[in-house]
Amino acid sequence: MSAKKENPKNHIGRTEEGIKKLLEREKAKVGNPVHLNRRKELHRINPRVRAFSHAKGRAKKKGISFEFARSKDLPIVPKICPALFIPLFVGDGKSTDNSPTLDRRDNNKGYIEGNVQWISRKANQMKSNANLKEVKMLYNYMKKQNIERKFSDK
């Protein structure tokens, strides 16, 4: 009989050697520039994939409904923001004002068919940070400032 080296299992049913191998694989994935670049490229091609997983996580965290089974079920990302009429595109590693974001039209409802739309990050931030009265006040202020600038330039 040969002496077999014992490798006892820990409380989660894995050997220490198995845990080390798993950690090495995960570290290789996370720090691997090829893996990261591929993810960025896929997101640039189809932002619905990342938006799907992020929205699903937000819905779970907030306890609201999420009725989409796959990222392909989300609406197609338009070329132009329907709110601000600016082009939508994925930034190079960082989100920009033109980055497409998934918006819930009615925040009292979840991510359900007919309640989600793609708008620019800028429009989504404006929508989430101000109510209609504040937007009107800002509009009136900017309108007044613009008129004053025109008269002061002459």
Side-chain angles (χ1 to χ4, degrees), residues 6 27 37 39 64 78 90 105-106 114 122 125 130:
E6 224 178 280
K27 283 180 185 175
N37 290 338
R39 278 186 56 211
I64 57 177
V90 176
R105 290 180 176 142
D106 181 354
K122 186 174 189 174
Q125 286 179 328

Side-chain angles (χ1 to χ4, degrees), residues 45-149:
I45 294 167
N46 185 5
R48 292 189 297 176
V49 175
R50 187 179 286 178
F52 174 82
S53 61
H54 288 194
K56 190 173 185 178
R58 281 192 305 274
K60 185 176 181 180
K61 188 177 178 179
K62 292 179 178 186
I64 57 177
S65 59
F66 186 88
E67 295 181 356
F68 297 98
R70 313 171 298 175
S71 63
K72 292 179 181 179
D73 297 336
L74 291 174
I76 294 173
V77 180
K79 301 279 185 209
I80 304 292
C81 172
L84 299 178
F85 303 105
I86 58 176
L88 291 177
F89 55 85
V90 176
D92 191 27
K94 297 179 182 176
S95 61
T96 67
D97 286 345
N98 296 69
S99 295
T101 60
L102 196 58
D103 173 56
R104 287 181 292 141
R105 290 180 176 142
D106 181 354
N107 286 334
N108 296 320
K109 297 178 183 176
Y111 293 92
I112 58 175
E113 187 73 35
N115 193 45
V116 294
Q117 63 184 351
W118 290 98
I119 62 175
S120 66
R121 178 175 172 254
K122 186 174 189 174
N124 208 346
Q125 286 179 328
M126 290 168 66
K127 185 178 173 222
S128 66
N129 292 331
N131 59 37
L132 189 57
K133 182 181 177 185
E134 291 169 334
V135 171
K136 285 179 182 178
M137 289 169 57
L138 180 63
Y139 168 77
N140 290 331
Y141 171 77
M142 291 177 73
K143 189 175 172 184
K144 181 181 175 188
Q145 293 297 313
N146 193 26
I147 291 171
E148 288 177 6
R149 282 189 198 132

